[in-house]
Amino acid sequence: MYHAETTDQLAALTERQLELIGEDPTREGLLKTPERVAKAWQFLTHGYGLDPEAILRSALFAEDYSQMVLVKDIEVYSLCEHHALPFFGKAHVAYIPNGHIVGLSKIPRVVDVFARRLQVQERLTLQIRDAIDAVLKPEGVAVVIEAQHLCMMMRGAEKQNSHTTTSAMSGVFLDQPDTRAEFMRLISG
């Protein structure tokens, strides 16, 4: 799971960062921290090595179902690309099939692929929509992400109760207000 050379290089960088902030990386509590941080970075950014479209294609099934499919409350954990601090929340993803459905577990996996990269919430929302659109070619896709950003809570504005909501829609979710309203009603319930 962890690339040895990458782990060594990241650990060396982490050790230097500890020195730069005035810490002693040789003290007992920090001895293994550089390696742990290196492995954490690899885990938290493993989405770069995954192909979201291949994940969707691996469980694509012909099916004559034409009503909304919604997977809601998908946990999202990502890192803000501006400060490398976490943001976290929930994603709600729906699509209207057009002759094909996808295995339900593949929707959260696609969310994770994009979330496990340095991100901004706005791009994350679009990438999820676009991957589902590209592979399933559905009648429409809707994605809403609600998240809290530690870069706004721990530093900068320091607003503890702020939430950010983003949405990206295509097809019938844009063209048919009733379909969009049904989606919004289902995710708020």
Side-chain angles (χ1 to χ4, degrees):
M1 179 171 197
Y2 303 109
H3 186 267
E5 185 177 336
T6 302
T7 300
D8 290 344
Q9 290 178 14
L10 287 170
L13 290 170
T14 301
E15 187 172 323
R16 180 65 183 131
Q17 286 179 310
L18 289 170
E19 292 168 349
L20 288 171
I21 65 167
E23 264 295 354
D24 175 8
T26 63
R27 75 174 172 85
E28 183 181 15
L30 293 176
L31 283 176
K32 294 189 181 214
T33 296
E35 181 181 350
R36 286 191 294 262
V37 170
K39 289 180 176 179
W41 266 97
Q42 289 175 78
F43 177 79
L44 295 171
T45 61
H46 73 265
Y48 289 114
L50 300 173
D51 179 351
E53 292 187 13
I55 290 169
L56 290 168
R57 283 192 299 273
S58 74
L60 197 59
F61 307 102
E63 190 66 46
D64 188 28
Y65 182 80
S66 60
Q67 301 300 309
M68 188 182 308
V69 176
L70 168 63
V71 182
K72 70 180 205 171
D73 296 330
I74 302 166
E75 294 94 353
V76 173
Y77 299 97
S78 193
L79 293 173
C80 162
E81 72 179 31
H82 300 134
H83 303 98
L85 289 173
F87 67 92
F88 58 93
K90 298 177 191 175
H92 313 289
V93 180
Y95 71 97
I96 307 286
N98 186 15
H100 290 90
I101 59 170
V102 68
L104 293 176
S105 70
K106 302 309 178 195
I107 301 287
R109 288 177 195 247
V110 166
V111 170
D112 284 346
V113 166
F114 291 118
R116 295 304 185 166
R117 300 174 181 186
L118 294 178
Q119 275 291 7
V120 294
Q121 184 175 330
E122 297 87 344
R123 181 185 325 114
L124 174 60
T125 308
L126 293 170
Q127 288 174 327
I128 296 164
R129 180 203 61 196
D130 293 347
I132 294 168
D133 251 342
V135 175
L136 273 69
K137 301 192 182 346
E139 296 294 326
V141 178
V143 179
V144 168
I145 298 178
E146 305 166 278
Q148 293 179 277
H149 294 250
L150 291 186
C151 59
M152 280 187 22
M153 297 169 72
M154 291 179 66
R155 56 158 310 281
E158 294 186 80
K159 299 301 175 206
Q160 304 308 305
N161 297 308
S162 63
H163 291 77
T164 301
T165 302
T166 52
S167 67
M169 299 184 190
S170 68
V172 296
F173 290 98
L174 288 175
D175 302 337
Q176 297 178 7
D178 290 346
T179 303
R180 182 172 49 255
E182 178 185 0
F183 169 71
M184 297 306 283
R185 186 177 73 255
L186 289 171
I187 68 171
S188 65

